Amino acid sequence: AFLKFLFFLILTLIMVVSAVYINFEIPNKELSILRERSDNARNQAIAQENFKRTLSELIVIANRSDSSSKAMLQSEARPKLDLLRNSSSIDDSSSNNRMNIEVWKMANQFIDTKSKLSDLKDFEGQIRKYKEQISDLQRQLENCQSRVNFNNGN
């Protein structure tokens, strides 16, 4: 009877201890998994905020560049574009990252277009200058033709 009692006591103690262990161990594992996911979500949110802030700064630079030169636009915008590109390579699996890459491509095209537009800013002045050169060359051609005609007439 004593051995039966001892056997069932040990069996009961093992069951109680294992139940308590499982009761505390499984939530700890779940808690660590949830903490990891929470940290990942927080890091992604921080990365998105940094991306949005950098994009806003880039837009301010692009809007300010209407009155500035192409070199100034390139020197101020390229570091921001590099930051956008580098911030979008954190996690390749997220849909936010794919969207950030597409936004970066569009921002890059926008800055390139702004640069080309700044090249064309003084387009009318260049056309006016070329028209003046054409009229000068036409006068010179007429002078040369009149000299040739004058010399041929003698």
Side-chain angles (χ1 to χ4, degrees):
F2 179 71
L3 288 174
K4 272 186 174 179
F5 171 75
L6 190 60
F7 174 73
F8 283 116
L9 179 68
I10 291 174
L11 184 65
T12 306
L13 285 176
I14 290 173
M15 287 176 38
V16 169
V17 168
S18 64
V20 169
Y21 175 76
I22 289 173
N23 193 27
F24 284 108
E25 188 61 29
I26 289 177
N28 281 339
K29 287 181 181 178
E30 289 177 352
L31 185 61
S32 66
I33 291 171
L34 289 175
R35 281 184 182 149
E36 181 181 331
R37 288 182 183 172
S38 173
D39 290 343
N40 287 342
R42 188 177 313 113
N43 290 340
Q44 285 180 356
I46 290 170
Q48 279 302 109
E49 285 300 317
N50 289 339
F51 187 86
K52 287 192 291 187
R53 184 174 17 85
T54 306
L55 186 61
S56 297
E57 292 170 0
L58 180 69
I59 290 171
V60 167
I61 289 170
N63 288 339
R64 186 178 59 214
S65 72
D66 289 339
S67 62
S68 63
S69 68
K70 178 181 176 179
M72 180 181 268
L73 173 67
Q74 292 294 330
S75 67
E76 291 181 0
R78 285 298 160 198
K80 298 296 181 188
L81 284 171
D82 291 340
L83 279 174
L84 289 177
R85 184 184 65 225
N86 292 337
S87 68
S88 64
S89 64
I90 293 171
D91 182 17
D92 291 337
S93 64
S94 71
S95 61
N96 286 339
N97 186 51
R98 289 183 292 234
M99 181 186 65
N100 289 350
I101 290 172
E102 291 301 318
V103 168
W104 173 77
K105 288 178 184 176
M106 294 176 82
N108 203 11
Q109 290 175 350
F110 179 67
I111 294 299
D112 289 342
T113 305
K114 278 286 213 180
S115 296
K116 290 177 185 175
L117 183 64
S118 69
D119 287 342
L120 297 176
K121 189 183 292 184
D122 194 30
F123 189 64
E124 291 177 0
Q126 288 178 350
I127 289 175
R128 200 173 320 112
K129 184 175 89 174
Y130 291 146
K131 284 182 179 179
E132 289 173 5
Q133 285 179 351
I134 288 173
S135 64
D136 287 341
L137 292 173
Q138 284 177 341
R139 273 186 257 119
Q140 289 177 6
L141 178 63
E142 289 171 1
N143 287 340
C144 288
Q145 286 174 346
S146 66
R147 283 187 212 150
V148 168
N149 290 336
F150 183 70
N151 287 339
N152 284 342
N154 286 338

PDB file of all heavy atoms in Angstrom, residues 81-114:
ATOM      1  N   LEU A  81      17.623  61.178 -52.773  1.00  0.00           N
ATOM      2  CA  LEU A  81      17.258  59.996 -53.553  1.00  0.00           C
ATOM      3  C   LEU A  81      18.034  58.774 -53.089  1.00  0.00           C
ATOM      4  O   LEU A  81      17.491  57.670 -53.038  1.00  0.00           O
ATOM      5  CB  LEU A  81      17.504  60.245 -55.043  1.00  0.00           C
ATOM      6  CG  LEU A  81      16.482  61.125 -55.741  1.00  0.00           C
ATOM      7  CD1 LEU A  81      16.948  61.476 -57.140  1.00  0.00           C
ATOM      8  CD2 LEU A  81      15.134  60.463 -55.781  1.00  0.00           C
ATOM      9  N   ASP A  82      19.295  58.962 -52.735  1.00  0.00           N
ATOM     10  CA  ASP A  82      20.087  57.848 -52.212  1.00  0.00           C
ATOM     11  C   ASP A  82      19.519  57.347 -50.886  1.00  0.00           C
ATOM     12  O   ASP A  82      19.460  56.144 -50.646  1.00  0.00           O
ATOM     13  CB  ASP A  82      21.549  58.249 -52.050  1.00  0.00           C
ATOM     14  CG  ASP A  82      22.246  58.463 -53.384  1.00  0.00           C
ATOM     15  OD1 ASP A  82      21.743  57.953 -54.407  1.00  0.00           O
ATOM     16  OD2 ASP A  82      23.292  59.151 -53.403  1.00  0.00           O
ATOM     17  N   LEU A  83      19.089  58.282 -50.028  1.00  0.00           N
ATOM     18  CA  LEU A  83      18.465  57.875 -48.765  1.00  0.00           C
ATOM     19  C   LEU A  83      17.181  57.093 -49.007  1.00  0.00           C
ATOM     20  O   LEU A  83      16.917  56.101 -48.332  1.00  0.00           O
ATOM     21  CB  LEU A  83      18.151  59.100 -47.910  1.00  0.00           C
ATOM     22  CG  LEU A  83      19.290  59.697 -47.107  1.00  0.00           C
ATOM     23  CD1 LEU A  83      18.833  60.987 -46.439  1.00  0.00           C
ATOM     24  CD2 LEU A  83      19.775  58.715 -46.067  1.00  0.00           C
ATOM     25  N   LEU A  84      16.391  57.548 -49.980  1.00  0.00           N
ATOM     26  CA  LEU A  84      15.155  56.829 -50.300  1.00  0.00           C
ATOM     27  C   LEU A  84      15.460  55.416 -50.799  1.00  0.00           C
ATOM     28  O   LEU A  84      14.808  54.457 -50.405  1.00  0.00           O
ATOM     29  CB  LEU A  84      14.349  57.585 -51.357  1.00  0.00           C
ATOM     30  CG  LEU A  84      13.678  58.872 -50.923  1.00  0.00           C
ATOM     31  CD1 LEU A  84      12.980  59.517 -52.106  1.00  0.00           C
ATOM     32  CD2 LEU A  84      12.690  58.622 -49.812  1.00  0.00           C
ATOM     33  N   ARG A  85      16.460  55.302 -51.661  1.00  0.00           N
ATOM     34  CA  ARG A  85      16.810  53.984 -52.199  1.00  0.00           C
ATOM     35  C   ARG A  85      17.324  53.070 -51.093  1.00  0.00           C
ATOM     36  O   ARG A  85      16.942  51.905 -51.023  1.00  0.00           O
ATOM     37  CB  ARG A  85      17.856  54.111 -53.296  1.00  0.00           C
ATOM     38  CG  ARG A  85      18.176  52.771 -53.963  1.00  0.00           C
ATOM     39  CD  ARG A  85      19.276  52.863 -54.979  1.00  0.00           C
ATOM     40  NE  ARG A  85      20.508  53.215 -54.289  1.00  0.00           N
ATOM     41  CZ  ARG A  85      21.358  54.135 -54.702  1.00  0.00           C
ATOM     42  NH1 ARG A  85      21.114  54.811 -55.796  1.00  0.00           N
ATOM     43  NH2 ARG A  85      22.450  54.410 -54.027  1.00  0.00           N
ATOM     44  N   ASN A  86      18.159  53.606 -50.206  1.00  0.00           N
ATOM     45  CA  ASN A  86      18.722  52.774 -49.134  1.00  0.00           C
ATOM     46  C   ASN A  86      17.673  52.391 -48.099  1.00  0.00           C
ATOM     47  O   ASN A  86      17.737  51.302 -47.546  1.00  0.00           O
ATOM     48  CB  ASN A  86      19.880  53.502 -48.453  1.00  0.00           C
ATOM     49  CG  ASN A  86      21.062  53.655 -49.381  1.00  0.00           C
ATOM     50  OD1 ASN A  86      21.222  52.901 -50.331  1.00  0.00           O
ATOM     51  ND2 ASN A  86      21.891  54.642 -49.108  1.00  0.00           N
ATOM     52  N   SER A  87      16.714  53.258 -47.858  1.00  0.00           N
ATOM     53  CA  SER A  87      15.695  52.924 -46.865  1.00  0.00           C
ATOM     54  C   SER A  87      14.711  51.906 -47.409  1.00  0.00           C
ATOM     55  O   SER A  87      14.039  51.236 -46.635  1.00  0.00           O
ATOM     56  CB  SER A  87      14.952  54.177 -46.415  1.00  0.00           C
ATOM     57  OG  SER A  87      14.169  54.685 -47.469  1.00  0.00           O
ATOM     58  N   SER A  88      14.638  51.749 -48.705  1.00  0.00           N
ATOM     59  CA  SER A  88      13.690  50.792 -49.258  1.00  0.00           C
ATOM     60  C   SER A  88      14.268  49.397 -49.375  1.00  0.00           C
ATOM     61  O   SER A  88      13.582  48.490 -49.798  1.00  0.00           O
ATOM     62  CB  SER A  88      13.199  51.262 -50.629  1.00  0.00           C
ATOM     63  OG  SER A  88      14.271  51.289 -51.537  1.00  0.00           O
ATOM     64  N   SER A  89      15.511  49.176 -48.993  1.00  0.00           N
ATOM     65  CA  SER A  89      16.096  47.844 -49.108  1.00  0.00           C
ATOM     66  C   SER A  89      16.174  47.136 -47.764  1.00  0.00           C
ATOM     67  O   SER A  89      16.932  46.201 -47.609  1.00  0.00           O
ATOM     68  CB  SER A  89      17.490  47.943 -49.722  1.00  0.00           C
ATOM     69  OG  SER A  89      18.330  48.670 -48.860  1.00  0.00           O
ATOM     70  N   ILE A  90      15.385  47.549 -46.790  1.00  0.00           N
ATOM     71  CA  ILE A  90      15.432  46.957 -45.456  1.00  0.00           C
ATOM     72  C   ILE A  90      14.814  45.557 -45.472  1.00  0.00           C
ATOM     73  O   ILE A  90      15.418  44.592 -45.036  1.00  0.00           O
ATOM     74  CB  ILE A  90      14.695  47.854 -44.437  1.00  0.00           C
ATOM     75  CG1 ILE A  90      15.472  49.159 -44.267  1.00  0.00           C
ATOM     76  CG2 ILE A  90      14.545  47.150 -43.112  1.00  0.00           C
ATOM     77  CD1 ILE A  90      14.738  50.188 -43.455  1.00  0.00           C
ATOM     78  N   ASP A  91      13.598  45.425 -45.975  1.00  0.00           N
ATOM     79  CA  ASP A  91      12.904  44.138 -45.956  1.00  0.00           C
ATOM     80  C   ASP A  91      12.272  43.933 -47.322  1.00  0.00           C
ATOM     81  O   ASP A  91      11.291  44.580 -47.649  1.00  0.00           O
ATOM     82  CB  ASP A  91      11.851  44.141 -44.849  1.00  0.00           C
ATOM     83  CG  ASP A  91      11.119  42.821 -44.745  1.00  0.00           C
ATOM     84  OD1 ASP A  91      11.622  41.833 -45.293  1.00  0.00           O
ATOM     85  OD2 ASP A  91      10.054  42.793 -44.111  1.00  0.00           O
ATOM     86  N   ASP A  92      12.832  43.027 -48.091  1.00  0.00           N
ATOM     87  CA  ASP A  92      12.358  42.837 -49.460  1.00  0.00           C
ATOM     88  C   ASP A  92      10.999  42.161 -49.537  1.00  0.00           C
ATOM     89  O   ASP A  92      10.378  42.141 -50.580  1.00  0.00           O
ATOM     90  CB  ASP A  92      13.380  42.016 -50.250  1.00  0.00           C
ATOM     91  CG  ASP A  92      14.660  42.787 -50.488  1.00  0.00           C
ATOM     92  OD1 ASP A  92      14.640  44.020 -50.457  1.00  0.00           O
ATOM     93  OD2 ASP A  92      15.674  42.125 -50.715  1.00  0.00           O
ATOM     94  N   SER A  93      10.530  41.576 -48.448  1.00  0.00           N
ATOM     95  CA  SER A  93       9.289  40.818 -48.508  1.00  0.00           C
ATOM     96  C   SER A  93       8.050  41.670 -48.267  1.00  0.00           C
ATOM     97  O   SER A  93       6.951  41.227 -48.564  1.00  0.00           O
ATOM     98  CB  SER A  93       9.323  39.681 -47.480  1.00  0.00           C
ATOM     99  OG  SER A  93       9.383  40.220 -46.180  1.00  0.00           O
ATOM    100  N   SER A  94       8.187  42.852 -47.735  1.00  0.00           N
ATOM    101  CA  SER A  94       7.002  43.639 -47.392  1.00  0.00           C
ATOM    102  C   SER A  94       6.443  44.358 -48.613  1.00  0.00           C
ATOM    103  O   SER A  94       7.165  44.751 -49.518  1.00  0.00           O
ATOM    104  CB  SER A  94       7.320  44.644 -46.287  1.00  0.00           C
ATOM    105  OG  SER A  94       8.131  45.665 -46.788  1.00  0.00           O
ATOM    106  N   SER A  95       5.140  44.532 -48.603  1.00  0.00           N
ATOM    107  CA  SER A  95       4.500  45.262 -49.701  1.00  0.00           C
ATOM    108  C   SER A  95       4.859  46.735 -49.630  1.00  0.00           C
ATOM    109  O   SER A  95       4.910  47.408 -50.658  1.00  0.00           O
ATOM    110  CB  SER A  95       2.988  45.070 -49.651  1.00  0.00           C
ATOM    111  OG  SER A  95       2.478  45.582 -48.440  1.00  0.00           O
ATOM    112  N   ASN A  96       5.116  47.247 -48.419  1.00  0.00           N
ATOM    113  CA  ASN A  96       5.546  48.635 -48.291  1.00  0.00           C
ATOM    114  C   ASN A  96       6.866  48.864 -49.006  1.00  0.00           C
ATOM    115  O   ASN A  96       7.080  49.910 -49.609  1.00  0.00           O
ATOM    116  CB  ASN A  96       5.708  49.019 -46.822  1.00  0.00           C
ATOM    117  CG  ASN A  96       4.388  49.207 -46.131  1.00  0.00           C
ATOM    118  OD1 ASN A  96       3.374  49.436 -46.768  1.00  0.00           O
ATOM    119  ND2 ASN A  96       4.400  49.109 -44.818  1.00  0.00           N
ATOM    120  N   ASN A  97       7.753  47.891 -48.940  1.00  0.00           N
ATOM    121  CA  ASN A  97       9.047  48.024 -49.586  1.00  0.00           C
ATOM    122  C   ASN A  97       8.892  48.090 -51.108  1.00  0.00           C
ATOM    123  O   ASN A  97       9.541  48.896 -51.763  1.00  0.00           O
ATOM    124  CB  ASN A  97       9.959  46.865 -49.195  1.00  0.00           C
ATOM    125  CG  ASN A  97      11.343  47.050 -49.736  1.00  0.00           C
ATOM    126  OD1 ASN A  97      11.934  48.090 -49.544  1.00  0.00           O
ATOM    127  ND2 ASN A  97      11.841  46.059 -50.437  1.00  0.00           N
ATOM    128  N   ARG A  98       8.045  47.255 -51.653  1.00  0.00           N
ATOM    129  CA  ARG A  98       7.811  47.304 -53.108  1.00  0.00           C
ATOM    130  C   ARG A  98       7.218  48.650 -53.513  1.00  0.00           C
ATOM    131  O   ARG A  98       7.602  49.223 -54.533  1.00  0.00           O
ATOM    132  CB  ARG A  98       6.910  46.158 -53.530  1.00  0.00           C
ATOM    133  CG  ARG A  98       7.601  44.801 -53.451  1.00  0.00           C
ATOM    134  CD  ARG A  98       6.682  43.742 -53.940  1.00  0.00           C
ATOM    135  NE  ARG A  98       5.589  43.638 -52.976  1.00  0.00           N
ATOM    136  CZ  ARG A  98       5.217  42.518 -52.391  1.00  0.00           C
ATOM    137  NH1 ARG A  98       5.791  41.402 -52.691  1.00  0.00           N
ATOM    138  NH2 ARG A  98       4.236  42.519 -51.503  1.00  0.00           N
ATOM    139  N   MET A  99       6.306  49.165 -52.693  1.00  0.00           N
ATOM    140  CA  MET A  99       5.730  50.474 -52.987  1.00  0.00           C
ATOM    141  C   MET A  99       6.806  51.556 -52.879  1.00  0.00           C
ATOM    142  O   MET A  99       6.873  52.459 -53.710  1.00  0.00           O
ATOM    143  CB  MET A  99       4.593  50.780 -52.022  1.00  0.00           C
ATOM    144  CG  MET A  99       3.936  52.116 -52.296  1.00  0.00           C
ATOM    145  SD  MET A  99       2.726  52.590 -51.082  1.00  0.00           S
ATOM    146  CE  MET A  99       3.727  52.792 -49.632  1.00  0.00           C
ATOM    147  N   ASN A 100       7.676  51.454 -51.861  1.00  0.00           N
ATOM    148  CA  ASN A 100       8.744  52.442 -51.693  1.00  0.00           C
ATOM    149  C   ASN A 100       9.696  52.433 -52.877  1.00  0.00           C
ATOM    150  O   ASN A 100      10.167  53.485 -53.304  1.00  0.00           O
ATOM    151  CB  ASN A 100       9.516  52.181 -50.402  1.00  0.00           C
ATOM    152  CG  ASN A 100       8.708  52.505 -49.172  1.00  0.00           C
ATOM    153  OD1 ASN A 100       7.641  53.093 -49.262  1.00  0.00           O
ATOM    154  ND2 ASN A 100       9.210  52.118 -48.030  1.00  0.00           N
ATOM    155  N   ILE A 101       9.988  51.255 -53.412  1.00  0.00           N
ATOM    156  CA  ILE A 101      10.870  51.165 -54.580  1.00  0.00           C
ATOM    157  C   ILE A 101      10.222  51.854 -55.779  1.00  0.00           C
ATOM    158  O   ILE A 101      10.887  52.598 -56.517  1.00  0.00           O
ATOM    159  CB  ILE A 101      11.220  49.694 -54.884  1.00  0.00           C
ATOM    160  CG1 ILE A 101      12.152  49.158 -53.789  1.00  0.00           C
ATOM    161  CG2 ILE A 101      11.863  49.543 -56.254  1.00  0.00           C
ATOM    162  CD1 ILE A 101      12.412  47.671 -53.877  1.00  0.00           C
ATOM    163  N   GLU A 102       8.932  51.645 -55.966  1.00  0.00           N
ATOM    164  CA  GLU A 102       8.239  52.299 -57.075  1.00  0.00           C
ATOM    165  C   GLU A 102       8.198  53.813 -56.871  1.00  0.00           C
ATOM    166  O   GLU A 102       8.378  54.577 -57.819  1.00  0.00           O
ATOM    167  CB  GLU A 102       6.811  51.744 -57.223  1.00  0.00           C
ATOM    168  CG  GLU A 102       6.767  50.320 -57.701  1.00  0.00           C
ATOM    169  CD  GLU A 102       7.436  50.111 -59.043  1.00  0.00           C
ATOM    170  OE1 GLU A 102       7.250  50.945 -59.962  1.00  0.00           O
ATOM    171  OE2 GLU A 102       8.169  49.108 -59.185  1.00  0.00           O
ATOM    172  N   VAL A 103       7.983  54.250 -55.637  1.00  0.00           N
ATOM    173  CA  VAL A 103       7.992  55.691 -55.342  1.00  0.00           C
ATOM    174  C   VAL A 103       9.374  56.261 -55.612  1.00  0.00           C
ATOM    175  O   VAL A 103       9.510  57.360 -56.168  1.00  0.00           O
ATOM    176  CB  VAL A 103       7.545  55.955 -53.881  1.00  0.00           C
ATOM    177  CG1 VAL A 103       7.829  57.387 -53.471  1.00  0.00           C
ATOM    178  CG2 VAL A 103       6.075  55.645 -53.723  1.00  0.00           C
ATOM    179  N   TRP A 104      10.417  55.517 -55.233  1.00  0.00           N
ATOM    180  CA  TRP A 104      11.785  55.971 -55.492  1.00  0.00           C
ATOM    181  C   TRP A 104      12.035  56.112 -56.997  1.00  0.00           C
ATOM    182  O   TRP A 104      12.623  57.098 -57.441  1.00  0.00           O
ATOM    183  CB  TRP A 104      12.798  54.990 -54.891  1.00  0.00           C
ATOM    184  CG  TRP A 104      14.195  55.316 -55.282  1.00  0.00           C
ATOM    185  CD1 TRP A 104      14.986  56.301 -54.786  1.00  0.00           C
ATOM    186  CD2 TRP A 104      14.973  54.678 -56.301  1.00  0.00           C
ATOM    187  NE1 TRP A 104      16.197  56.306 -55.414  1.00  0.00           N
ATOM    188  CE2 TRP A 104      16.215  55.317 -56.354  1.00  0.00           C
ATOM    189  CE3 TRP A 104      14.727  53.621 -57.161  1.00  0.00           C
ATOM    190  CZ2 TRP A 104      17.209  54.939 -57.231  1.00  0.00           C
ATOM    191  CZ3 TRP A 104      15.725  53.238 -58.035  1.00  0.00           C
ATOM    192  CH2 TRP A 104      16.941  53.900 -58.066  1.00  0.00           C
ATOM    193  N   LYS A 105      11.561  55.142 -57.782  1.00  0.00           N
ATOM    194  CA  LYS A 105      11.738  55.230 -59.237  1.00  0.00           C
ATOM    195  C   LYS A 105      11.048  56.471 -59.790  1.00  0.00           C
ATOM    196  O   LYS A 105      11.609  57.188 -60.627  1.00  0.00           O
ATOM    197  CB  LYS A 105      11.185  53.967 -59.918  1.00  0.00           C
ATOM    198  CG  LYS A 105      12.021  52.738 -59.713  1.00  0.00           C
ATOM    199  CD  LYS A 105      11.370  51.540 -60.377  1.00  0.00           C
ATOM    200  CE  LYS A 105      12.126  50.260 -60.111  1.00  0.00           C
ATOM    201  NZ  LYS A 105      11.430  49.085 -60.672  1.00  0.00           N
ATOM    202  N   MET A 106       9.819  56.708 -59.310  1.00  0.00           N
ATOM    203  CA  MET A 106       9.082  57.876 -59.793  1.00  0.00           C
ATOM    204  C   MET A 106       9.749  59.175 -59.353  1.00  0.00           C
ATOM    205  O   MET A 106       9.800  60.141 -60.118  1.00  0.00           O
ATOM    206  CB  MET A 106       7.634  57.807 -59.319  1.00  0.00           C
ATOM    207  CG  MET A 106       6.867  56.652 -59.943  1.00  0.00           C
ATOM    208  SD  MET A 106       5.217  56.511 -59.291  1.00  0.00           S
ATOM    209  CE  MET A 106       4.408  57.739 -60.280  1.00  0.00           C
ATOM    210  N   ALA A 107      10.260  59.214 -58.134  1.00  0.00           N
ATOM    211  CA  ALA A 107      10.956  60.415 -57.652  1.00  0.00           C
ATOM    212  C   ALA A 107      12.219  60.659 -58.462  1.00  0.00           C
ATOM    213  O   ALA A 107      12.543  61.807 -58.782  1.00  0.00           O
ATOM    214  CB  ALA A 107      11.281  60.270 -56.165  1.00  0.00           C
ATOM    215  N   ASN A 108      12.916  59.591 -58.793  1.00  0.00           N
ATOM    216  CA  ASN A 108      14.125  59.709 -59.616  1.00  0.00           C
ATOM    217  C   ASN A 108      13.776  60.267 -60.997  1.00  0.00           C
ATOM    218  O   ASN A 108      14.460  61.165 -61.502  1.00  0.00           O
ATOM    219  CB  ASN A 108      14.796  58.340 -59.726  1.00  0.00           C
ATOM    220  CG  ASN A 108      16.252  58.440 -60.042  1.00  0.00           C
ATOM    221  OD1 ASN A 108      16.847  59.509 -59.999  1.00  0.00           O
ATOM    222  ND2 ASN A 108      16.851  57.319 -60.367  1.00  0.00           N
ATOM    223  N   GLN A 109      12.717  59.756 -61.594  1.00  0.00           N
ATOM    224  CA  GLN A 109      12.274  60.274 -62.888  1.00  0.00           C
ATOM    225  C   GLN A 109      11.840  61.738 -62.765  1.00  0.00           C
ATOM    226  O   GLN A 109      12.105  62.547 -63.656  1.00  0.00           O
ATOM    227  CB  GLN A 109      11.117  59.437 -63.426  1.00  0.00           C
ATOM    228  CG  GLN A 109      11.517  58.048 -63.857  1.00  0.00           C
ATOM    229  CD  GLN A 109      10.306  57.215 -64.266  1.00  0.00           C
ATOM    230  OE1 GLN A 109       9.160  57.600 -64.060  1.00  0.00           O
ATOM    231  NE2 GLN A 109      10.577  56.049 -64.834  1.00  0.00           N
ATOM    232  N   PHE A 110      11.181  62.073 -61.668  1.00  0.00           N
ATOM    233  CA  PHE A 110      10.734  63.451 -61.447  1.00  0.00           C
ATOM    234  C   PHE A 110      11.913  64.413 -61.368  1.00  0.00           C
ATOM    235  O   PHE A 110      11.897  65.474 -61.999  1.00  0.00           O
ATOM    236  CB  PHE A 110       9.896  63.509 -60.163  1.00  0.00           C
ATOM    237  CG  PHE A 110       9.405  64.879 -59.813  1.00  0.00           C
ATOM    238  CD1 PHE A 110       8.468  65.524 -60.609  1.00  0.00           C
ATOM    239  CD2 PHE A 110       9.865  65.521 -58.678  1.00  0.00           C
ATOM    240  CE1 PHE A 110       8.013  66.778 -60.286  1.00  0.00           C
ATOM    241  CE2 PHE A 110       9.415  66.775 -58.344  1.00  0.00           C
ATOM    242  CZ  PHE A 110       8.480  67.406 -59.148  1.00  0.00           C
ATOM    243  N   ILE A 111      12.949  64.023 -60.629  1.00  0.00           N
ATOM    244  CA  ILE A 111      14.130  64.886 -60.496  1.00  0.00           C
ATOM    245  C   ILE A 111      14.849  64.994 -61.840  1.00  0.00           C
ATOM    246  O   ILE A 111      15.306  66.080 -62.225  1.00  0.00           O
ATOM    247  CB  ILE A 111      15.068  64.363 -59.388  1.00  0.00           C
ATOM    248  CG1 ILE A 111      14.394  64.481 -58.030  1.00  0.00           C
ATOM    249  CG2 ILE A 111      16.398  65.093 -59.400  1.00  0.00           C
ATOM    250  CD1 ILE A 111      14.030  65.892 -57.627  1.00  0.00           C
ATOM    251  N   ASP A 112      14.932  63.899 -62.588  1.00  0.00           N
ATOM    252  CA  ASP A 112      15.557  63.957 -63.913  1.00  0.00           C
ATOM    253  C   ASP A 112      14.771  64.881 -64.842  1.00  0.00           C
ATOM    254  O   ASP A 112      15.357  65.663 -65.596  1.00  0.00           O
ATOM    255  CB  ASP A 112      15.658  62.557 -64.522  1.00  0.00           C
ATOM    256  CG  ASP A 112      16.694  61.692 -63.826  1.00  0.00           C
ATOM    257  OD1 ASP A 112      17.565  62.259 -63.119  1.00  0.00           O
ATOM    258  OD2 ASP A 112      16.626  60.461 -63.982  1.00  0.00           O
ATOM    259  N   THR A 113      13.448  64.797 -64.774  1.00  0.00           N
ATOM    260  CA  THR A 113      12.609  65.659 -65.600  1.00  0.00           C
ATOM    261  C   THR A 113      12.763  67.123 -65.194  1.00  0.00           C
ATOM    262  O   THR A 113      12.821  68.007 -66.049  1.00  0.00           O
ATOM    263  CB  THR A 113      11.139  65.222 -65.493  1.00  0.00           C
ATOM    264  OG1 THR A 113      11.041  63.845 -65.833  1.00  0.00           O
ATOM    265  CG2 THR A 113      10.257  66.037 -66.402  1.00  0.00           C
ATOM    266  N   LYS A 114      12.843  67.374 -63.877  1.00  0.00           N
ATOM    267  CA  LYS A 114      13.066  68.742 -63.406  1.00  0.00           C
ATOM    268  C   LYS A 114      14.404  69.273 -63.915  1.00  0.00           C
ATOM    269  O   LYS A 114      14.518  70.444 -64.272  1.00  0.00           O
ATOM    270  CB  LYS A 114      13.064  68.795 -61.881  1.00  0.00           C
ATOM    271  CG  LYS A 114      11.717  68.855 -61.267  1.00  0.00           C
ATOM    272  CD  LYS A 114      11.135  70.213 -61.454  1.00  0.00           C
ATOM    273  CE  LYS A 114      10.280  70.561 -60.271  1.00  0.00           C
ATOM    274  NZ  LYS A 114       9.695  71.865 -60.381  1.00  0.00           N
TER     275      LYS A 114
END
